[in-house]
Amino acid sequence: MFSPGQLAGRPWGVWRYREALGLQPATEVVTLGEGGTPLVAANVTGQRVLLKLDYLCPTGSYKDRGATVLVSKLREWGVSEIVEDSSGNAGAAVAAYAAAAGIAASIFVPAHTSAGKAAQIVRYGAQLVRVPGPREATTQAALAAAERSFYASHNWSPYFHAGVKTLAYEIAEQLQWTAPDWIVTPLGGGSLVTGMYQGFGDLRREGIIGRLPRFAAVQSERCAPVYHAWRQGLKDVPPVEKQDTAAEGIALTSVVKGPAILEALRGANSVLLTVSDAELWMALEHLAGRGFYVEPTSAVAVAALPHLRRQGLAGPNDRVVVVLTGSGLKATDKIVEHFQRKEADSEHAH
Amino acid sequence: MFSPGQLAGRPWGVWRYREALGLQPATEVVTLGEGGTPLVAANVTGQRVLLKLDYLCPTGSYKDRGATVLVSKLREWGVSEIVEDSSGNAGAAVAAYAAAAGIAASIFVPAHTSAGKAAQIVRYGAQLVRVPGPREATTQAALAAAERSFYASHNWSPYFHAGVKTLAYEIAEQLQWTAPDWIVTPLGGGSLVTGMYQGFGDLRREGIIGRLPRFAAVQSERCAPVYHAWRQGLKDVPPVEKQDTAAEGIALTSVVKGPAILEALRGANSVLLTVSDAELWMALEHLAGRGFYVEPTSAVAVAALPHLRRQGLAGPNDRVVVVLTGSGLKATDKIVEHFQRKEADSEHAH
C-alpha cells in the first residue's frame, strides 16, 4: 500500500498508486494514460452532485483501470495469447492493452453489442467473435476457446479488480483524502462495486480516510439479479430471466461473483435501486443537455438520483459522487436509433 | 500570466493556468473537466515518440480547451444565444459547453460530417444545421444566421485561442518545464498551431522554458492551402481546390487566419508536410494496433513521422511530441466503411 505523502510529483492516473496494484517492482507496465479522470460539480436532476467522468479513460470506459493492471501482469508472466468475453467495454479495454503489449487477443461479445465498441475492438487488432443468444452464451464460447489459450477474464482476475480500486483512491484524493457520503454506480458484473469497496476499505484500514462512503448501486429493472437477491436477503445471486434493455453493459442474468458483490454491498451499507429504460433515456438526455455525453448503461446512475432523494436517503448537504462509466460516442448507433424512434412515435401521436 | 510555483495543488486541466486565459477574476467558469490529458511514450512507425492524447477531452477532441474559455467569456458577457460553424469537433465542443452554460446554440456543419459528431451535437441540445457543399458554404450559412444571433466562431475568437494555449503549457509542464524538440500536429484552420505557438511563446518570454519547439505541421495532400502558400513564400494563404479526403477536420480550402498561421509557422522554425489518404489510413491502423484509437484526421500527424525522419529532420534522440486531436469513437461510421471497402477490394483482387 502507498501513503499519500509518497504521491507528490507523480503523474495522475492508475499507476500513481502502483504500490497497491500487486505487480513486481521491476515490471514495465502497459499503460495508455488511463485514470486521472475529472471529478466535476454539476447540477443534475435538481441536485448538486460530483460527476466522476471515468468515460474519459483511453478506450472510453472505466474498464481501462482494470485492463492496464491485468495486461501488465500478463506481460510479467510472459503470456502471448488471451481470450476475453465482455458486453463490449471490457473487451475494448483488454483489446487495446493487449495491442500495446503485443499480446494476441480474441474478444467474444454478444451479437447485439454497439457498433462503436465492435469497431474499436477490431481496429485494436483483436479477433472479434460475435456470439448470438444471451450474455452467458458469450462467456461459454470464450471458456471453450480458452481451453487452447489463456482466459483473461475481467470478471475473475484479481489484477483487473486491483485496477478498479484506483477509482476509489482517486476520488478520495480528489476530495483531499476524504470519502464522499454516497457513491452512485451502475451494477452489472459487480467489478465496480467490489473494486471500489476494496479501494475505500484499503484507505480506511490505513487511516487515510475516516469512514467508508455508502453505495447506491443501480440495476436495470429489466435485468436485476443482484437487486432481487438483495431484497430476499440471499447469500448468493440466482440467475434471472431478462428482458431487452438499453443498459447493455450491465444486463447480466447471472453473475459469477455473487457472494463477493453482496458482501461489498453490505459492507458499504448500500442501497439497491432499479430504473426503467424510459428513465435511463431521460437521464441520458438530461445529462447530455448539461454537456455530459454517456452511453445508455451509464445513465442508470443518474436515473436513480430522484429515487435516492425520494426515499429520503441522500440529503441536500450530502456529497454524492456519481460514477459515469462509458462514453456516449461508443453508442452512436443505439442513441441515434432510440431518438429517431421516439420522434417517429411522437409524430404518429399527433 | 502564471508562474510555475503558483500551480502546486491545483487540479490538472485548462483552468490550472487561469491567469493566462483573460477572464475576470470573479467569473465562474464553465467547465466539463477539459485538459490534463496524458502524455504517453510509445513506439510508432519505428520511432520513440510522446503521444499527447488530447482526444481524451470531454467531448472527444482538443477543441474543448478553446470552448471552455470561449463559453466562459460568453457567460461573463451575458450572451444567451450563439451560432457556430465547424467541421464537427468544434461544433460538438461549443454545443457541450453552451449546454453547460444554459446558452442556446445553433451549430452549422458540412453535410458529410461523421454521424458520431452529429449525434452528440444534437444530444447536447443544440440546433444542428447540415449545409451541403464545401466547408466554406457552412461558414457562409452560419454568418447569415449570425446576423440575428452572436457568432461564436472558434476560428476568430481570441478566447478560444487562449484556451488552446494551455496545450503548450501542459506539454511543457509534463516535461518538467522544458520544450520538446518537435511538435507534430495536424493543420487545418490553424488554431492548434497559432495557439501552441503563443503558448510556448508565453513560456519563453517569462523565462519558464529556454527555447521554442519546432513544429511539423501536417496537411492532407488533397487539401493543403497552407502548405502551398508556405512553399511559395507567400504572406497570406490563397484558397485551393480540394479533393475528397478522410481528413474531414482539416479539409479547409481557405483559411481565415492565413497571415497569423504563416507567422506562427515561421516563428517556430516549422516544417510543412502533406500525407495521402492511403498514408492516413495506414497510420490510423498502425496506431490502433498499439492501443491508440483516433479519428482519421488525427492520424495525419502519425502518417507524417516517416517523412520527417526521411528528410533527416527529427533525429533518433529528439523528443518528438505528436498531438492526437480527436477520438476514433467519433468516426465509427467512416472507419467501418473504409475497412469494409478495403476488405471487399482485397477479395476482388483474389
Side-chain angles (χ1 to χ4, degrees):
Chain A
M1 192 60 189
F2 58 87
S3 72
Q6 281 178 290
L7 307 181
R10 295 188 190 178
W12 279 84
V14 166
W15 295 101
R16 182 175 179 84
Y17 311 105
R18 176 165 181 152
E19 290 81 357
L21 302 181
L23 263 74
Q24 300 297 328
T27 299
E28 195 195 334
V29 302
V30 182
T31 177
L32 300 170
E34 54 290 325
T37 60
L39 184 70
V40 177
N43 199 324
V44 293
T45 72
Q47 183 173 356
R48 196 77 180 163
V49 296
L50 294 164
L51 300 175
K52 181 62 175 166
L53 309 187
D54 236 35
Y55 61 90
L56 298 181
C57 281
T59 78
S61 89
Y62 83 95
K63 302 277 190 184
D64 292 348
R65 294 182 184 273
T68 185
V69 180
L70 170 58
V71 174
S72 294
K73 197 71 191 179
L74 294 175
R75 188 160 75 177
E76 192 180 287
W77 286 336
V79 170
S80 63
E81 194 186 338
I82 58 173
V83 169
E84 153 79 321
D85 65 293
S86 153
S87 69
N89 281 334
V94 169
Y97 287 85
I103 294 173
S106 296
I107 309 290
F108 289 68
V109 301
H112 55 73
T113 290
S114 288
K117 299 178 190 178
Q120 75 179 138
I121 289 169
V122 172
R123 293 277 65 82
Y124 289 134
Q127 191 198 1
L128 178 76
V129 186
R130 286 182 180 273
V131 183
R135 171 71 180 79
E136 292 63 34
T138 304
T139 301
Q140 290 309 317
L143 282 169
E147 288 175 12
R148 301 174 305 279
S149 179
F150 185 96
Y151 185 44
S153 167
H154 68 284
N155 277 320
W156 284 110
S157 167
Y159 295 100
F160 190 95
H161 187 250
V164 178
K165 291 194 304 181
T166 63
L167 184 52
Y169 303 155
E170 210 172 276
I171 290 170
E173 186 169 7
Q174 286 173 313
L175 297 173
Q176 286 74 52
W177 297 114
T178 63
D181 297 293
W182 287 93
I183 297 275
V184 186
T185 168
L187 171 58
S191 63
L192 258 179
V193 159
T194 55
M196 282 197 290
Y197 179 63
Q198 200 181 322
F200 283 113
D202 289 349
L203 298 178
R204 191 177 60 169
R205 204 174 45 252
E206 301 284 326
I208 299 170
I209 59 173
R211 58 168 177 80
L212 297 181
R214 295 185 70 181
F215 289 172
V218 189
Q219 299 212 290
S220 161
E221 66 178 24
R222 297 189 178 183
C223 182
V226 183
Y227 173 82
H228 292 298
W230 175 264
R231 300 271 292 195
Q232 293 164 48
L234 305 180
K235 298 246 182 295
D236 198 354
V237 178
V240 295
E241 296 280 314
K242 88 167 213 213
Q243 299 165 274
D244 268 354
T245 167
E248 67 179 21
I250 54 171
L252 288 88
T253 57
S254 65
V255 295
V256 295
K257 293 187 305 188
I261 296 168
L262 293 168
E263 189 193 319
L265 291 170
R266 271 193 300 272
N269 190 14
S270 300
V271 173
L272 269 80
L273 301 161
T274 63
V275 299
S276 68
D277 270 34
E279 289 174 309
L280 171 165
W281 284 112
M282 274 171 49
L284 185 148
E285 192 164 20
H286 179 84
L287 261 183
R290 276 145 193 79
F292 304 97
Y293 189 54
V294 300
E295 67 167 314
T297 301
S298 306
V300 300
V302 171
L305 287 174
H307 295 278
L308 203 60
R309 247 185 354 258
R310 210 151 39 224
Q311 295 182 23
L313 291 163
N317 296 318
D318 280 355
R319 278 200 307 188
V320 177
V321 171
V322 182
V323 182
L324 297 180
T325 51
S327 169
L329 295 170
K330 294 192 149 207
T332 298
D333 56 341
K334 302 280 169 85
I335 292 171
V336 168
E337 188 193 319
H338 169 80
F339 287 99
Q340 276 174 351
R341 201 170 50 229
K342 192 178 141 194
E343 274 171 39
D345 289 352
S346 96
E347 277 165 26
H348 270 289
H350 286 299
Chain B
M1 193 59 189
F2 58 87
S3 71
Q6 281 178 290
L7 306 182
R10 294 187 189 178
W12 279 84
V14 166
W15 295 100
R16 183 175 177 84
Y17 312 104
R18 176 166 182 152
E19 290 81 357
L21 301 182
L23 263 72
Q24 300 297 326
T27 299
E28 194 195 334
V29 303
V30 182
T31 177
L32 299 170
E34 54 290 326
T37 60
L39 185 68
V40 177
N43 199 325
V44 293
T45 72
Q47 183 173 357
R48 196 77 179 161
V49 296
L50 294 164
L51 300 175
K52 181 61 175 167
L53 310 187
D54 236 36
Y55 61 90
L56 299 181
C57 281
T59 78
S61 90
Y62 83 95
K63 302 276 190 183
D64 292 348
R65 294 183 183 272
T68 185
V69 181
L70 170 58
V71 174
S72 294
K73 197 69 189 181
L74 295 175
R75 188 159 75 175
E76 192 180 288
W77 285 336
V79 171
S80 62
E81 195 186 339
I82 58 172
V83 169
E84 153 80 321
D85 64 292
S86 152
S87 69
N89 280 334
V94 169
Y97 287 85
I103 294 173
S106 296
I107 309 290
F108 289 69
V109 301
H112 55 74
T113 291
S114 289
K117 299 178 189 178
Q120 74 179 139
I121 290 169
V122 171
R123 293 277 63 82
Y124 289 134
Q127 191 199 0
L128 178 76
V129 186
R130 287 182 179 272
V131 183
R135 172 69 180 81
E136 291 64 35
T138 304
T139 301
Q140 290 308 315
L143 281 169
E147 289 177 13
R148 300 173 307 280
S149 180
F150 185 96
Y151 185 43
S153 167
H154 68 282
N155 277 321
W156 283 109
S157 167
Y159 296 99
F160 191 95
H161 186 251
V164 177
K165 291 194 303 181
T166 63
L167 184 52
Y169 303 155
E170 211 173 274
I171 290 170
E173 185 169 9
Q174 286 172 313
L175 297 173
Q176 285 73 51
W177 297 114
T178 63
D181 297 295
W182 287 92
I183 297 275
V184 186
T185 168
L187 171 58
S191 64
L192 258 179
V193 160
T194 55
M196 282 196 290
Y197 178 62
Q198 199 181 324
F200 283 113
D202 289 348
L203 298 178
R204 191 178 60 168
R205 204 175 42 251
E206 301 284 325
I208 299 170
I209 59 174
R211 58 169 176 78
L212 297 181
R214 295 184 70 180
F215 288 172
V218 189
Q219 298 212 290
S220 161
E221 67 178 26
R222 297 190 178 183
C223 182
V226 183
Y227 173 82
H228 292 299
W230 175 264
R231 300 270 294 194
Q232 293 164 47
L234 305 180
K235 298 244 179 301
D236 198 352
V237 178
V240 295
E241 296 281 315
K242 88 166 212 213
Q243 299 165 274
D244 267 353
T245 166
E248 67 178 22
I250 54 171
L252 287 88
T253 58
S254 65
V255 295
V256 295
K257 293 187 304 188
I261 296 169
L262 293 168
E263 190 193 317
L265 291 170
R266 271 193 300 272
N269 190 14
S270 300
V271 172
L272 269 81
L273 300 161
T274 63
V275 299
S276 68
D277 270 34
E279 290 173 308
L280 171 165
W281 285 112
M282 275 171 49
L284 185 148
E285 193 164 19
H286 178 85
L287 261 183
R290 276 145 191 80
F292 304 98
Y293 188 55
V294 300
E295 66 167 315
T297 301
S298 306
V300 301
V302 171
L305 287 174
H307 295 279
L308 202 60
R309 250 189 346 263
R310 207 151 41 224
Q311 295 182 23
L313 290 163
N317 296 319
D318 279 354
R319 278 200 308 189
V320 177
V321 171
V322 182
V323 181
L324 297 180
T325 51
S327 169
L329 295 171
K330 294 192 149 209
T332 298
D333 56 341
K334 302 281 168 83
I335 292 171
V336 168
E337 188 193 318
H338 169 79
F339 287 98
Q340 276 175 351
R341 201 171 48 229
K342 192 177 142 193
E343 274 171 38
D345 289 352
S346 98
E347 277 165 27
H348 270 288
H350 286 299

